[in-house]
Amino acid sequence: AELRMQAGDPRGAFEALREAEQHFPEAAPMLRPRQAEALLAAVAREPPIAAVALFDAHAALLPPGDQADAALVALADRLAALDLTDRARRVLGQAIARAEHGESRARLGLAQAKLALGANDPAGARAVLADTEAPGLPDALRAERLLQ
């Protein structure tokens, strides 16, 4: 798996780590963080449709936090560029549902609201911004959300 990661094949690394977990279940606690790292890299590098399939199949393995949020926002942007805006909005909706804290939910909600506006759905944009509102947001994020 490590060689595959070094060779620029994060999906191959992820699959090797999943196979290793199947053969050596006692090593799962050690393998899970590396699986998450490989999965994040694969979601970032795979073509959008393949990345969505990986996300759909293994979303529970993604670690919470800014790195996963950024990867999912980038994936949503790539899907939207292919005119798959509805699918992009669903990816962000799933990411919002699994987000652990208010700032993360607010950032993801902002990305989803931008997609909604791009799809000519201002009501959807307002709804997602309202659903992802959180106290104590950084000023820059709060201001950007207000502009949407």
Side-chain angles (χ1 to χ4, degrees), residues 49-70:
I49 302 303
V52 167
L54 276 172
F55 171 69
D56 285 345
H58 305 290
L61 295 176
L62 282 175
D66 294 342
Q67 191 176 12
D69 293 349

Side-chain angles (χ1 to χ4, degrees), residues 134-145:
L137 294 177
D139 291 339
L141 177 58
R142 189 176 44 235
E144 192 172 359
R145 287 171 58 88

Side-chain angles (χ1 to χ4, degrees), residues 66-142:
D66 294 342
Q67 191 176 12
D69 293 349
L72 295 175
V73 168
L75 174 58
D77 289 343
R78 292 187 297 153
L79 289 166
L82 294 173
D83 287 332
L84 298 171
T85 305
D86 289 340
R87 185 62 184 115
R89 289 171 71 179
R90 282 195 302 271
V91 165
L92 290 176
Q94 290 173 286
I96 290 168
R98 62 186 287 283
E100 288 189 335
H101 56 83
E103 185 175 339
S104 178
R105 287 178 48 79
R107 285 189 195 289
L108 292 165
L110 175 61
Q112 191 178 37
K114 287 178 180 179
L115 287 174
L117 287 174
N120 199 24
D121 181 12
R126 282 191 302 276
V128 74
L129 288 172
D131 288 345
T132 58
E133 184 60 40
L137 294 177
D139 291 339
L141 177 58
R142 189 176 44 235

